[in-house]
Amino acid sequence: MSILATVHHHRELPDTPYNLWMRDELADVLDLPHDGTRVEIVGGEIIVSPGPDYAHNVIVRSVNAGFFAAQMLDPAFPWRCIHTQDVNLSDIHDGYIPDLCVLTEENDRQANSAQLKKVLPRHLTLVLEVTSPSTVAEDRLPGKKRVRPTKWNGYARVGIPFYLLVDRDPGEARTTLFSSPDTASGDYMEAVSWEFGEAVKLPEPFGLEITTDEWEPWQRGQA
């Protein structure tokens, strides 16, 4: 049995959070509404976040559009995008739902043919997370006082080659591409950043630019 602790009460779970998430039972066990609310397992803990706002979705759309435009210009462009896809980080018993996944055309075709409900890290080359006030601590590098790993650690631990983090915090308003994951330490060893308004220049193997003129930080009252 597992115990879920909340501000108001403790609830006994019929199985581990990871196992419930894998069986698509966790949201129902927690009585979560089916309104875009996401439930993930990060660092072994249950993380529930509301559906994103419009400005968040505009950013995801921009990244997706950049890849799609490259595909339209070059039929041999090998990258495909998929939204809000469950990712089973089985090696660390976490389960994430990135804002966008980028995978090769071959892996895209295989996942589609197999009708996968949860892809594995080996299927993915890049994941995108766009921060919100409710998720920013889970998406970033862990702070000095944080004990539990974040998604940044988890994605590195399972060896996803690139992690694109769009931080909408008004104090940051920055996009960072992390690369060279160290699976032993759970760290990305390299990073390059762009301020909002600057074109995000994804290096090879992608070789494309994404404009960020429409990207907006969240309003300070939301934080």
Side-chain angles (χ1 to χ4, degrees):
M1 296 290 185
S2 296
I3 302 295
L4 168 66
T6 70
V7 174
H8 302 292
H9 62 275
H10 288 73
R11 175 181 296 181
E12 188 175 90
L13 299 179
D15 203 342
T16 67
Y18 173 76
N19 288 342
L20 292 169
W21 187 86
M22 283 295 298
R23 297 198 301 266
D24 295 320
E25 297 173 2
L26 185 56
D28 289 334
V29 168
L30 299 179
D31 298 322
L32 296 178
H34 296 275
D35 60 355
T37 298
R38 295 187 193 181
V39 58
E40 301 171 282
I41 310 299
V42 182
E45 291 193 8
I46 298 170
I47 303 299
V48 178
S49 55
D53 64 19
Y54 199 89
H56 177 288
N57 290 333
V58 165
I59 293 173
V60 178
R61 181 182 67 191
S62 296
V63 177
N64 188 24
F67 278 89
F68 185 70
Q71 181 186 347
M72 292 298 97
L73 288 172
D74 179 8
F77 187 71
W79 303 104
R80 302 293 182 267
C81 299
I82 195 77
H83 291 262
T84 56
Q85 171 64 51
D86 286 5
V87 179
N88 172 19
L89 288 76
S90 56
D91 289 350
I92 59 174
H93 279 207
D94 272 7
Y96 304 163
I97 310 174
D99 288 306
L100 196 72
C101 296
V102 179
L103 58 170
T104 64
E105 183 180 12
E106 176 63 22
N107 282 340
D108 176 71
R109 183 166 52 250
Q110 290 179 2
N112 184 43
S113 297
Q115 300 183 28
L116 296 181
K117 296 193 71 174
K118 302 181 188 301
V119 300
L120 295 171
R122 64 179 174 81
H123 295 123
L124 307 179
T125 303
L126 180 148
V127 289
L128 166 70
E129 296 284 2
V130 181
T131 68
S132 298
S134 60
T135 65
V136 62
E138 304 300 330
D139 297 334
R140 287 176 177 166
L141 285 71
K144 293 182 180 179
K145 296 182 179 180
R146 186 180 176 104
V147 176
R148 183 168 52 82
T150 68
K151 286 185 175 182
W152 183 85
N153 298 117
Y155 286 135
R157 180 77 69 183
V158 298
I160 292 179
F162 296 95
Y163 176 32
L164 187 63
L165 177 64
V166 179
D167 197 335
R168 291 182 60 216
D169 185 332
E172 295 290 330
R174 179 181 297 113
T175 302
T176 304
L177 179 68
F178 298 99
S179 59
S180 300
D182 183 329
T183 57
S185 66
D187 298 319
Y188 280 99
M189 309 309 294
E190 298 183 14
V192 59
S193 296
W194 304 267
E195 304 296 326
F196 277 22
E198 296 179 330
V200 172
K201 299 179 180 180
L202 297 183
E204 296 297 335
F206 310 109
L208 59 86
E209 291 190 9
I210 299 166
T211 60
T212 69
D213 296 341
E214 294 183 308
W215 295 11
E216 295 288 345
W218 69 65
Q219 296 179 1
R220 292 190 179 274
Q222 293 180 260

